Amino acid sequence: VYAHVAYAIMMATMTIRVLHSEDDSSFFVLATFRMVFRMVGGLLLLDYRKAIVWNVSLSFAVCYKFSSNVGAMKVHDVSGTLWIVQEVFALCATIGTLYFAEWWQLACIHAKVMARFIESSRQAVHTLLSVFCDSVVHTGPDVNILRPAPELAHLLCIGRAVQADNSLVGDNLANHIAVE
């Protein structure tokens, strides 16, 4: 909440300052500061929708007041076309960066939630199987046993059952299935 209020106050202050500038060289000098603050403030806010409102209003104010401030500095483009193109580019770059930063953060959160959900589901299935089955065996795509399976070794009456650390790890499960 405080970040939203601070961002709104700073953007409103910059917009009002731009709207009240007349033949002021700081209009051009502070352009870099305005761009940096728009980007950093928007990244801290991490809400591109609210940032759009403030950035569009600031960009309109900057484009509107260009002609009032052009006399303060030696500017080659008196019509302001280059300045307006630069301001539109800055607006699009800011909004695009803020959108992708928010999208990336949401994608990371979604991935973490899904990973926890998948791990929780895997544990639930493993618990159910270990309750209902005599042995749970984890195999790879080549049907080799990946994790220790002491219960299977005990069921097969293999002497290595006491070695719980490596019980049947690496063995091919198909070797322990009877062929009729």
Side-chain angles (χ1 to χ4, degrees), residues 73-133:
M73 303 221 10
K74 292 181 180 179
V75 178
H76 299 294
D77 182 22
V78 182
S79 68
T81 305
L82 186 60
W83 187 261
I84 291 171
V85 168
Q86 175 185 333
E87 188 62 34
V88 169
F89 176 76
L91 176 65
C92 293
T94 301
I95 291 171
T97 302
L98 298 178
Y99 172 79
F100 285 114
E102 186 175 333
W103 173 83
W104 179 73
Q105 183 187 31
L106 290 175
C108 287
I109 290 170
H110 184 267
K112 286 180 183 179
V113 168
M114 288 304 295
R116 287 184 182 152
F117 174 73
I118 289 169
E119 179 59 24
S120 175
S121 298
R122 188 199 64 77
Q123 288 176 352
V125 168
H126 185 277
T127 302
L128 282 171
L129 286 174
S130 63
V131 168
F132 290 116
C133 300

Side-chain angles (χ1 to χ4, degrees), residues 58-71:
L58 180 60
S59 289
F60 277 135
V62 167
C63 291
Y64 174 71
K65 292 305 278 187
F66 174 81
S67 60
S68 302
N69 291 290
V70 75

Side-chain angles (χ1 to χ4, degrees), residues 4-7 11 25 29 31 43 51 60 63 91 106 125 132 134 136 139 142 154-155 173:
H4 291 271
V5 173
Y7 186 75
M11 291 298 285
S25 61
V29 173
L43 288 172
F60 277 135
C63 291
L91 176 65
L106 290 175
V125 168
F132 290 116
D134 292 329
V136 178
T139 62
D142 55 354
H154 180 73
L155 286 171
L173 184 62

